[in-house]
Amino acid sequence: SQQGEEDPQALSIQEGENATMNCSYKTSINNLQWYRQNSGRGLVHLILIRSNEREKHSGRLRVTLDTSKKSSSLLITASRAADTASYFCATEGVGGAGSYQLTFGKGTKLSVIP
Amino acid sequence: EAQVTQNPRYLITVTGKKLTVTCSQNMNHEYMSWYRQDPGLGLRQIYYSMNVEVTDKGDVPEGYKVSRKEKRNFPLILESPSPNQTSLYFCASSLIGGGAQPQHFGDGTRLSIL
C-alpha cells in the first residue's frame, strides 16, 4: 500500500518561529490527514483535507494539498514549546483495499526550544 | 467522554504465551483498526474491521488474529508471541472506514516479548 513520506525527519526551531513539514505520496488519494503524537502517546487528529481542497486552516495550523505534485504541507505558526511532538501525514488511497485504509508516513519529529 | 480504551498499557511476557490486548470504543464507530509502531518504520496497520463480523488484513497481519463480535470491541490476539512482535500497539476507531473521517486513537500498549 502507498505510504506518505514526511520531510524533514527532524526539525528544531525556536519558540515563536514557524514550522513547516512536508508530506509526499505516490499514488492518487481521496483524503489526507495530519496527526500529532506526543512522546509515547496515542495519535491525535489535527486536520483532514480532501483531494478537491487546496488549503485548510485550524487555529495556528495551515495545511495545503497539491495533488499534481502529490504533496502536502503542514505549517504551524508562532510555535510554542507545547508543539514539540511528532507529526504524521496519513493518506487514503483511491479504489481497492486502499480505500478502506489510512496509511501513515514515518513522521517528522518537531522540537520547539523555549 | 468519547474514547478508545486499550488494556493492558504495558505487558512483558515470554515467547509462546498467548496474549490478548483488548480495545473498546464508546463512540458507536463502525470502523476499528490495529497498528504497530516501531522506530524508523512508522505506524503499520495490522488488521482492520469495517463493522461487526467484518475484518480484513492490513499490511503486517502475520502472527496476529482479531475478532469483531460486538461493535464496541476489537481485541488483538497473539496466539504464539515472538520477540519480533515487541512493539508499541495502537487501536483506533472512526465513524466509517478509510480516510474520510478522523481516527481516534487509544493511548497505546507497549508489549515486550522475551
Side-chain angles (χ1 to χ4, degrees), chain B residues 37-48:
Chain B
Q37 185 176 30
D38 302 289
L41 297 177
L43 266 82
R44 294 178 292 168
Q45 190 177 49
I46 303 170
Y47 270 95
Y48 63 96

Side-chain angles (χ1 to χ4, degrees), chain A residues 1 33 35 37 92 100-101, chain B residues 31 37 45 59 99 101 103:
Chain A
S1 58
Q33 300 185 26
Y35 287 80
Q37 183 184 33
E92 177 198 13
Y100 305 116
Q101 294 176 270
Chain B
Y31 183 90
Q37 185 176 30
Q45 190 177 49
D59 297 318
Q101 294 288 330
Q103 291 199 6

Side-chain angles (χ1 to χ4, degrees), chain B residues 5 11 14 43 70 73 76 79 87 99 103 114:
Chain B
T5 304
L11 179 63
V14 296
L43 266 82
E70 306 165 284
N73 296 323
L76 179 70
E79 293 268 3
S87 188
Q103 291 199 6
L114 304 177

Side-chain angles (χ1 to χ4, degrees), chain A residues 17-102:
Chain A
E17 292 180 339
N18 295 341
T20 299
M21 287 157 269
N22 303 297
C23 170
S24 59
Y25 54 92
K26 295 184 176 65
T27 60
S28 296
I29 60 169
N30 287 324
N31 301 286
L32 185 144
Q33 300 185 26
W34 284 91
Y35 287 80
R36 183 187 75 224
Q37 183 184 33
N38 290 89
S39 182
R41 303 297 301 276
L43 279 72
V44 174
H45 179 260
L46 296 175
I47 287 185
L48 183 155
I49 187 165
R50 304 188 195 285
S51 60
N52 61 354
E53 297 175 311
R54 292 296 167 256
E55 190 171 309
K56 282 191 91 167
H57 296 256
S58 176
R60 293 183 297 113
L61 306 180
R62 172 181 168 240
V63 167
T64 60
L65 178 64
D66 187 334
T67 53
S68 66
K69 294 181 180 176
K70 293 186 171 58
S71 68
S72 173
S73 67
L74 170 67
L75 168 67
I76 304 174
T77 60
S79 64
R80 305 166 182 168
D83 295 327
T84 294
S86 291
Y87 292 82
F88 296 85
C89 69
T91 53
E92 177 198 13
V94 175
S99 301
Y100 305 116
Q101 294 176 270
L102 202 57

